[in-house]
């Protein structure tokens, strides 16, 4: 699966969040091998020395960090549409999935897996019914959520996707518990299923994805199914090849001025930070 690294100018900077994680450390090393400068932020704001930088700035960190620095640095942060999973056919999701609001989800009177589609506004998990979800005093009624039938994933895998092809991948869970490892014996099946998912997303009538994104898939008792999709610039790489992960991260969070036109509909809405 190792591919030729994507071309990036050598004056580019990879900005990492202050609380750097294991993936950030791996990306910093991978960037250094390419001659790129990796810069770890000292606070939750855009470093003054990078404002108006002559070279392109890319970012890796969580949603809060992306929101804190994105607008000031002129970044384009790509993320999958909130309803992407719900728009996939059931033969790929393995369960019914609905894109709705938190107000509607609170009316559920059955167990369901409920999650925010992008940010971690509340815990993504199986709720016994809607009364266990955060109330209106904590989160607005119109907060978008995904509600799905409960399904048990036996093994889960993370795929870093660039231009419709998997650049790097890793197992990350077994029976709901963290279990990081290379693809292993499931590798061929994972990639074959991923090809079906990406073909459906690339079809004219299918739900689209940005050119750089993370897609999680898993094995259930009845076959393969999509878990979810996430922003690559805010996703852990686990045991995936760091060079492949870096390729996807650089595209997913780079200068707005360099954004391919086809990715404009996948831009994260960045807040204006007042300090």
């Amino acid at each position: 699966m190792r591919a030729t690294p994507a071309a990036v100018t050598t004056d580019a900077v990879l900005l990492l969040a202050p609380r750097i994680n294991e993936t950030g450390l791996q990306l910093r090393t991978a960037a250094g091998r390419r001659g790129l400068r990796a810069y770890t932020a000292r606070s939750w704001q855009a470093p003054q020395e990078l404002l108006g930088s002559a070279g392109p700035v890319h970012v890796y960190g969580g949603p809060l960090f992306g929101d804190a620095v994105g607008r000031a640095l002129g970044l384009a942060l790509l993320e999958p549409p909130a309803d992407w999973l719900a728009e996939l056919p059931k033969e790929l999701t393995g369960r019914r999935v609905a894109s709705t609001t938190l107000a509607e989800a609170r009316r559920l009177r059955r167990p369901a897996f409920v999650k925010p589609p992008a940010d971690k506004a509340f815990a993504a998990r199986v709720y016994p019914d809607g009364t266990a979800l955060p109330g209106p005093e904590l989160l607005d009624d119109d907060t978008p959520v995904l509600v799905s039938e409960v399904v048990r994933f036996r093994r889960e895998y993370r795929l870093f996707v660039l231009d419709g092809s998997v650049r790097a991948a890793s197992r990350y869970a077994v029976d709901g518990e963290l279990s990081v490892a290379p693809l292993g014996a499931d590798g061929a099946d994972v990639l074959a299923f991923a090809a079906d998912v990406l073909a459906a997303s690339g079809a004219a009538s299918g739900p689209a994805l940005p050119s750089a994104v993370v897609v999680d898939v898993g094995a259930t008792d009845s076959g393969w199914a999509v878990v979810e999709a996430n922003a690559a610039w805010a996703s852990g790489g686990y045991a995936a090849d760091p060079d492949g992960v870096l390729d996807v991260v650089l595209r997913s969070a780079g200068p707005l001025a360099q954004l391919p036109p086809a990715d404009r509909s996948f831009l994260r809405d960045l807040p204006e930070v007042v300090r």
Side-chain angles (χ1 to χ4, degrees):
M1 194 188 306
R2 187 181 297 274
T4 302
V8 179
T9 57
T10 54
D11 59 348
V13 175
L14 176 64
L15 176 63
L16 302 162
R19 291 199 289 271
I20 189 169
N21 59 17
E22 181 62 29
T23 300
L25 292 172
Q26 293 175 352
L27 292 179
R28 186 168 66 184
T29 300
R33 287 197 296 265
R34 298 189 196 182
L36 308 182
R37 182 160 69 99
Y39 186 107
T40 303
R42 291 184 291 273
S43 67
W44 291 83
Q45 57 184 303
Q48 285 294 321
E49 52 267 49
L50 295 185
L51 296 176
S53 172
V57 177
H58 304 260
V59 71
Y60 176 77
L64 291 178
F65 185 64
D67 285 347
V69 304
R71 186 180 284 266
L73 293 172
L75 298 178
L77 303 185
L78 302 181
E79 58 185 7
D83 62 352
W84 176 77
L85 185 65
E87 291 298 313
L88 283 175
K90 189 179 177 183
E91 57 263 29
L92 295 178
T93 62
R95 63 209 186 275
R96 286 195 296 270
V97 183
S99 177
T100 185
T101 65
L102 188 54
E104 287 297 321
R106 292 190 189 111
R107 298 190 178 99
L108 287 169
R109 293 300 176 263
R110 57 175 172 79
F113 183 86
V114 186
K115 73 180 290 292
D119 298 339
K120 295 179 172 57
F122 62 91
R125 62 179 177 84
V126 175
Y127 289 84
D129 58 44
T131 63
L133 289 163
E137 73 282 1
L138 296 176
L139 287 172
D140 294 338
D141 286 349
D142 61 356
T143 299
V145 297
L146 291 174
V147 177
S148 68
E149 292 179 309
V150 179
V151 64
R152 183 178 182 85
F153 285 97
R154 295 298 183 180
R155 300 176 303 285
E156 296 171 67
Y157 300 87
R158 173 150 295 173
L159 314 173
F160 283 81
V161 177
L162 185 64
D163 293 327
S165 298
V166 178
R167 282 294 184 112
S170 169
R171 189 184 78 193
Y172 66 88
V174 173
D175 289 328
E177 299 293 332
L178 184 67
S179 178
V180 176
L183 292 186
D186 275 339
D189 290 337
V190 170
L191 296 178
F193 179 70
D196 290 341
V197 174
L198 296 175
S201 294
S205 60
L209 285 171
S211 65
V213 69
V214 159
V215 176
D216 293 344
V217 302
T220 72
D221 290 334
S222 56
W224 291 92
V226 178
V227 179
E228 61 184 1
N230 290 295
W233 50 270
S235 296
Y238 300 115
D241 171 41
D243 285 302
V245 174
L246 180 60
D247 285 339
V248 183
V249 167
L250 292 174
R251 174 79 68 81
S252 72
L256 180 60
Q258 297 178 7
L259 183 71
D263 276 330
R264 290 201 170 272
S265 62
F266 304 110
L267 282 174
R268 181 178 178 84
D269 187 16
L270 296 173
E272 179 134 17
V273 179
V274 179
R275 301 190 187 280

